């Protein structure tokens, strides 16, 4: 590990106890900064309402830390929107944001569009499939941005319960990321961007950043958004403007191996684009499914499209002037 990263791990990796809530609130009052919490959601009716309820109860009604809670629905076919609205979130459908540019499927697409329907100086992203959610996820990653003006982006780090096929959880994977993190993202970062090797959960969906940074970044439309954001932020603001906070344990819905394969392909492509801009090949991934006595191929295109920095969008520029 680079000496720079070893130093960064000491100086830019914290725990929740390092910033008590009263200190975070005092910093918010003194700075006048506002905080938006955004949940990108696709068919998460079982969990999105509870997450919204916890954030609103703990950080809107009990203490004035969060100024708005916005759920961006990515085309759900279940009751995600209804559950989120009933819990008190402002719900916006992906297709209603920036209709001039037709939406494409993908998490990064939703995060990019959320910048147009939020106002916070600090934007905090939280995945909508978390279980046993604690508002510590929000205070942990927002706190450093409110108390330290030199920071630009803060990611959550956590332990992840191991879940077996029968749904049981025999234990916690201490210090481990998910399967795609350990098999794809972490090797890529260590080999090509070793300054980012200190991030425990580089692909984690819980992170907060200053709007001024987010609006300058391109957004991969799919699963590559977290890796792309880390790499681009490193180049734009430097390692010392990035940090991570231990928020405990993260429980969420696990995906099957083939879905993870598609995720890994998108992340690899995101890295490839950053290593060699201008590569025009549109890749695909072929996987196999059992069909009777044979295996049948299924080919999927890999997300390669990226949205430009929001500052290049005229509707966003017009909103800022207004």
């Amino acid at each position: 590990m680079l000496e720079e990263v070893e130093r960064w791990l000491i100086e830019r990796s914290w725990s929740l106890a390092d910033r008590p809530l009263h200190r975070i609130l005092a910093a918010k009052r003194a700075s006048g900064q506002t905080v938006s919490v955004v949940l990108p959601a696709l068919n998460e009716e079982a969990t999105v309402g509870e997450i919204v309820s916890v954030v609103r109860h703990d950080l809107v009604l009990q203490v004035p830390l969060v100024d708005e809670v916005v759920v961006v629905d990515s085309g759900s076919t279940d009751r995600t929107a209804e559950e989120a609205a009933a819990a008190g979130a402002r719900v916006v459908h992906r297709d209603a944001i920036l209709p001039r540019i037709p939406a494409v499927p993908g998490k990064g697409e939703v995060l990019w569009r959320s910048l147009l329907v939020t106002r916070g100086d600090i934007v905090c992203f939280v995945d909508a499939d978390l279980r046993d959610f604690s508002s510590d996820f929000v205070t942990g990653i927002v706190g450093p941005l409110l108390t330290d003006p030199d920071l630009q982006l803060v990611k959550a780090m956590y332990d992840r319960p191991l879940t077996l096929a029968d749904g049981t959880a025999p234990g916690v994977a201490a210090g481990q990321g998910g399967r795609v993190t350990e098999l794809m993202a972490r090797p890529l970062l260590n080999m090509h961007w070793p300054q980012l090797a200190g991030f425990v959960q580089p692909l984690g969906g819980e992170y907060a950043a200053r709007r001024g940074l987010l609006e300058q970044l391109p957004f991969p439309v799919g699963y590559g958004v977290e890796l792309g954001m880390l790499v681009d932020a490193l180049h734009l603001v430097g390692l010392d403007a990035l940090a991570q906070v231990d928020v405990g344990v993260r429980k969420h819905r696990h995906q099957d191996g083939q879905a993870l394969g598609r995720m890994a392909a998108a992340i690899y492509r995101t890295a490839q684009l950053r290593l060699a801009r201008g590569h025009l090949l549109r890749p695909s991934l072929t996987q196999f499914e059992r069909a009777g006595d044979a295996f049948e191929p299924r080919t999927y295109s890999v997300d390669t499209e990226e949205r430009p920095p929001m500052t290049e969008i005229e509707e966003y520029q017009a909103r800022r002037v207004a």
Side-chain angles (χ1 to χ4, degrees):
M1 181 176 290
L2 298 176
E3 290 185 11
E4 180 184 7
V5 177
E6 292 180 347
R7 174 191 57 78
W8 180 85
L9 281 169
I10 295 172
E11 298 178 357
R12 290 290 188 266
S13 296
W14 298 298
S15 69
L16 289 167
D18 291 327
R19 287 175 180 79
L21 184 56
H22 68 84
R23 181 184 166 197
I24 297 173
L25 289 170
K28 184 178 191 292
R29 287 192 294 267
S31 67
Q33 296 177 93
T34 53
V35 177
S36 300
V37 172
V38 173
L39 281 75
L42 176 62
N43 294 329
E44 302 294 356
E45 65 177 3
T47 50
V48 67
E50 175 66 16
I51 298 171
V52 171
S53 294
V54 170
V55 173
R56 280 188 47 78
H57 176 270
D58 293 359
L59 304 179
V60 177
L61 302 177
Q62 294 275 47
V63 298
L65 181 66
V66 171
D67 298 279
E68 61 178 349
V69 182
V70 179
V71 171
V72 183
D73 187 357
S74 188
S76 298
T77 56
D78 63 2
R79 290 182 49 81
T80 290
E82 291 83 354
E83 293 291 336
R90 177 160 60 93
V91 180
V92 186
H93 194 282
R94 173 199 63 198
D95 296 346
I97 307 170
L98 198 61
R100 175 176 65 85
I101 301 176
V104 297
K107 179 182 179 183
E109 178 82 355
V110 173
L111 300 185
W112 182 71
R113 289 174 186 265
S114 75
L115 297 181
L116 266 165
V117 293
T118 54
R119 291 284 182 177
D121 302 304
I122 294 170
V123 183
C124 174
F125 297 118
V126 176
D127 281 350
D129 65 343
L130 302 188
R131 299 170 181 162
D132 299 331
F133 178 78
S134 167
S135 59
D136 287 344
F137 273 75
V138 176
T139 56
I141 55 181
V142 167
L145 293 168
L146 288 170
T147 58
D148 188 340
D150 293 330
L151 292 174
Q152 293 289 324
L153 184 149
V154 180
K155 294 208 66 140
M157 56 178 170
Y158 39 75
D159 293 321
R160 304 174 77 252
L162 294 170
T163 304
L164 300 180
D166 61 4
T168 61
V172 171
Q176 293 186 23
R179 288 164 286 177
V180 177
T181 293
E182 300 300 338
L183 297 176
M184 176 61 71
R186 204 180 306 285
L188 280 172
L189 292 175
N190 276 263
M191 287 187 290
H192 299 298
W193 297 280
Q195 286 178 295
L196 297 174
F199 278 94
V200 175
Q201 298 289 352
L203 300 185
E206 290 68 50
Y207 48 97
R210 299 193 190 281
R211 178 175 293 273
L213 171 63
L214 293 172
E215 65 187 15
Q216 296 181 69
L217 299 177
F219 276 61
V221 298
Y223 285 121
V225 63
E226 273 84 24
L227 183 134
M229 191 176 295
L230 263 188
V231 171
D232 293 340
L234 173 69
H235 291 309
L236 195 62
V237 297
L239 182 60
D240 284 340
L242 314 179
Q244 59 186 352
V245 176
D246 186 352
V247 297
V249 176
R250 182 187 196 269
K251 300 178 182 178
H252 70 118
R253 175 172 48 82
H254 292 269
Q255 300 194 58
D256 63 35
Q258 292 204 335
L260 295 178
R262 296 190 289 274
M263 185 186 303
I267 289 165
Y268 179 77
R269 179 57 173 165
T270 299
Q272 185 184 47
L273 284 170
R274 279 151 181 78
L275 289 168
R277 292 288 184 179
H279 196 286
L280 299 179
L281 176 66
R282 182 172 179 83
S284 61
L285 174 72
T286 298
Q287 297 176 319
F288 294 88
E289 296 179 5
R290 169 73 72 177
D293 295 332
F295 286 99
E296 291 190 356
R298 299 284 188 271
T299 300
Y300 303 87
S301 62
V302 174
D303 293 323
T304 59
E305 188 170 356
E306 297 194 0
R307 293 308 191 186
M310 191 57 81
T311 50
E312 297 178 9
I313 301 299
E314 61 183 66
E315 288 90 341
Y316 189 80
Q317 297 171 4
R319 192 193 75 160
R320 295 182 73 186
V321 172

